[in-house]
Amino acid sequence: MRHVETPVLVVGGSLVGLSMSVFLARHGVEHLVVERHPGTAIHPRAAFLMQRTVELYRGVGLQEAVIAAAEREFEQNGAIMAVDSLGGRELQWFFENINEGVEHLSPSPRIFVTQIGLEPVLRARAAELGGQLRYSCEVVSLEVEPDGVTALVRDRGTGEESTVHAAYAVAADGVRSAVRRRLGIPMAGHGTFSDSITIYFRGDVRPLLRGRNLSVVYVVNPRLQGFFRFSFDGRSGFLVVNSAVDGDGRRTTAIGEGATEADCVRYVRDALGAPDLPVEIEDVQRWNAAAEWAERFRAGRVFLAGDSAHVMPPTGGYGGNTGVHDAHNLAWKLAHVLDGRAGAALLDTYEAERLPVGRLTVEQAYTRYVTRLDPGLGTDGLAPVVDDAMIDLGYRYRSTAIVEDGADDAPWEDPRTPSGRPGLRAPHVPIRRDGTELSTLDLIGRDAVLLTGADGEDWVRAAEGRVEVCRVGDTTGRFAEAYGLGPGGATLVRPDGVVAWRAREPVDDAGAAIDAALARVLCRFPVG
């Protein structure tokens, strides 16, 4: 039997697993991705990428390729709205242009791209950077040991089995995560509330679009509740149906069980408001709408990421984005621990940081599902709606890898008025360097970086041999304002673009301050 040794085993090679591979490879971490399917996605799921996600791909040189893939599939900058049917009444506009009002918050846009378009881009980049990807393979068993993880992997085509020993494993194996079940990690939250279907269909909907650029169309009428996405040419799309009226006139959320092709044609026509439109059903996928999160994101040397860690309805488009953010948070920590730059306790901060964010995001997706599609689930006790930009760019981390600055306990911050406080994403500020337009986010690399302003000469001298330092020559004062710094202050930003520590003003011993901050952020000593 073949035996493989690798520092990191990634179980699952879809959106989150491939992103994990790209991020690990960017840090120079050898790893193996095992995916049970024969290749990348064949169904157009996860159509919305938020600004933070595109920023993360920008950091690994993929922003242009991802945007190009998006533009091949959809007209960008569309609206998100609700109707009683596509050809009928407009009920509510949630966004008239998904980037309106947020363009200045990031060097990256919000885009629509499906996993069909995105995953090949990620796969190619992962392979280019040295990631090892094995498709049509499944993990048959997984044992967690004191010094690592041992998995039995079976080739689904040949039946050949091999053992893989890794120092760490990442479970990115989806909603029904076999790894999570083997680890005995329970889920919390709202559970499952709809046996939904996604209907992929062909039909000319251009007359019903009436020239409107619509990215997501929620449908709420007496016959069904769900949402549409349409192809670039307006001749095909998919309809998600979360609830509908059955043959006896009763509303049901058990859509998937027993749905015939004739039922699916009727659902599409009802949602379009076009009872005679020729419709061809290409495929139907059954899935459960749920809102829950794992009670733990780690068991020994195994970490959960993506849908294995949190499941949320598609309202808001947060699911895939949250999983990519998981992967980005974990990748640099694994890299730093594996090569000895950080103490092993740094890996404890993954759960401390990502679990609260995952839970809060699930609640936001659930609130949107209930209020937009199914108020019958009950609106009492729903989490208040938080602005999308805050969910995307304003979530806050608390852990031993963050040096707190202030007593505010709010889990979010509005990125339109950034404070630069530790635990928050480093604010985007446009800058020029060597004649090129950049963002302060472009100064962040594979290691922590110390950012200081024009009067930060003492920090520049003290940082030598300790940490990379970037002196931001910003004559407008926007950098200092966004990062909450005085003229001679400095801020330490982690490799994931999160502010870890800052000194608002100069200090007596800048070198000692930097050493203490790095020791804390990299968990190089016990924190008292």
Side-chain angles (χ1 to χ4, degrees):
M1 181 182 294
R2 181 185 176 201
H3 180 74
V4 177
E5 292 280 345
T6 185
V8 180
L9 170 65
V10 180
V11 184
S14 189
L15 171 62
V16 174
L18 285 172
S19 297
M20 189 82 219
S21 180
V22 171
F23 299 145
L24 286 171
R26 175 73 172 80
H27 284 283
V29 178
E30 294 183 18
H31 62 279
L32 172 65
V33 179
V34 175
E35 167 57 45
R36 66 187 307 273
H37 290 104
T40 53
I42 60 173
H43 294 297
R45 297 170 294 166
F48 181 45
L49 292 189
M50 305 179 85
Q51 285 178 291
R52 180 61 176 154
T53 305
V54 182
E55 285 179 1
L56 303 186
Y57 292 146
R58 177 188 180 96
V60 293
L62 282 180
Q63 176 166 304
E64 290 185 4
V66 169
I67 291 175
E71 291 174 343
R72 286 192 292 270
E73 290 193 291
F74 301 117
E75 184 176 356
Q76 298 300 308
N77 295 317
I80 300 178
M81 64 178 303
V83 299
D84 67 354
S85 69
L86 184 65
R89 289 186 302 124
E90 297 176 353
L91 303 177
Q92 185 176 358
W93 291 76
F94 302 106
F95 296 97
E96 293 193 21
N97 175 331
I98 61 166
N99 279 295
E100 186 175 0
V102 299
E103 303 97 325
H104 66 292
L105 301 180
S106 171
S108 305
R110 296 171 173 173
I111 62 173
F112 279 91
V113 60
T114 71
Q115 286 177 236
I116 290 177
L118 177 59
E119 287 187 9
V121 175
L122 297 175
R123 179 180 180 176
R125 184 61 169 155
E128 178 186 356
L129 293 173
Q132 300 297 310
L133 311 173
R134 291 178 59 185
Y135 287 90
S136 295
C137 290
E138 60 185 344
V139 172
V140 178
S141 65
L142 185 142
E143 299 296 330
V144 183
E145 300 149 352
D147 66 339
V149 175
T150 298
L152 179 64
V153 177
R154 178 182 298 142
D155 187 302
R156 301 184 73 198
T158 65
E160 180 183 358
E161 294 185 343
S162 58
T163 58
V164 177
H165 183 267
Y168 299 98
V170 180
D173 54 339
V175 173
R176 293 177 290 277
S177 172
V179 173
R180 186 187 65 230
R181 292 198 302 269
R182 289 189 186 106
L183 296 173
I185 298 177
M187 302 292 281
H190 302 278
T192 299
F193 37 84
S194 172
D195 177 15
S196 302
I197 56 173
T198 302
I199 305 167
Y200 300 92
F201 68 92
R202 296 197 63 80
D204 188 354
V205 303
R206 290 174 297 173
L208 301 171
L209 287 170
R210 301 196 300 273
R212 295 170 294 181
N213 180 12
L214 305 178
S215 292
V216 177
V217 183
Y218 291 101
V219 179
V220 182
N221 65 43
R223 299 174 300 283
L224 63 83
Q225 288 79 44
F227 67 89
F228 276 122
R229 281 291 295 129
F230 300 110
S231 65
F232 194 85
D233 65 2
R235 295 177 182 272
S236 63
F238 66 80
L239 170 67
V240 170
V241 183
N242 301 117
S243 66
V245 173
D246 64 18
D248 297 324
R250 295 172 299 190
R251 180 178 174 276
T252 179
T253 57
I255 307 301
E257 187 173 354
T260 66
E261 182 170 339
D263 292 330
C264 293
V265 170
R266 174 170 53 85
Y267 292 146
V268 172
R269 287 172 171 169
D270 283 347
L272 291 172
D276 299 319
L277 182 76
V279 171
E280 176 188 350
I281 305 300
E282 294 189 316
D283 195 11
V284 179
Q285 280 193 313
R286 178 179 174 180
W287 55 280
N288 291 325
E292 51 191 2
W293 56 88
E295 293 186 358
R296 292 179 289 135
F297 279 19
R298 180 183 185 183
R301 288 176 172 260
V302 182
F303 302 86
L304 307 184
D307 286 349
S308 68
H310 36 70
V311 182
M312 54 193 84
T315 37
Y318 306 132
N321 290 279
T322 307
V324 174
H325 301 185
D326 291 340
H328 195 258
N329 179 285
L330 181 57
W332 77 271
K333 295 174 180 178
L334 286 169
H336 280 59
V337 170
L338 283 165
D339 69 11
R341 282 176 289 174
L346 180 62
L347 295 176
D348 295 333
T349 68
Y350 171 68
E351 177 176 293
E353 293 177 356
R354 291 305 302 167
L355 196 157
V357 171
R359 180 176 60 242
L360 289 168
T361 309
V362 169
E363 293 288 16
Q364 288 298 307
Y366 183 69
T367 290
R368 284 160 172 76
Y369 182 91
V370 173
T371 56
R372 293 180 184 180
L373 289 173
D374 195 354
L377 288 171
T379 57
D380 291 343
L382 286 179
V385 172
V386 174
D387 179 78
D388 284 83
M390 293 171 65
I391 296 170
D392 181 20
L393 303 173
Y395 55 76
R396 185 177 180 186
Y397 289 155
R398 285 186 173 84
S399 75
T400 55
I402 301 291
V403 183
E404 293 281 353
D405 180 353
D408 182 7
D409 292 331
W412 321 92
E413 176 178 273
D414 191 338
R416 298 172 183 83
T417 54
S419 67
R421 290 179 56 186
L424 294 160
R425 160 190 167 269
H428 157 63
V429 178
I431 59 174
R432 286 186 67 85
R433 173 159 290 201
D434 300 327
T436 302
E437 296 287 343
L438 296 174
S439 165
T440 45
L441 301 182
D442 295 324
L443 304 177
I444 301 162
R446 288 180 285 186
D447 298 303
V449 61
L450 190 74
L451 302 181
T452 187
D455 298 330
E457 184 60 37
D458 288 346
W459 292 108
V460 173
R461 288 195 297 267
E464 186 175 355
R466 289 182 166 92
V467 65
E468 180 183 355
V469 61
C470 288
R471 197 169 174 182
V472 181
D474 173 29
T475 59
T476 67
R478 291 182 60 190
F479 166 72
E481 180 183 4
Y483 282 77
L485 300 177
T491 189
L492 183 67
V493 182
R494 304 187 326 188
D496 58 352
V498 172
V499 176
W501 166 88
R502 71 177 172 182
R504 293 174 181 267
E505 303 293 345
V507 299
D508 291 337
D509 190 339
I514 293 171
D515 286 342
L518 286 170
R520 172 71 178 268
V521 170
L522 298 177
C523 299
R524 289 178 178 162
F525 60 86
V527 179

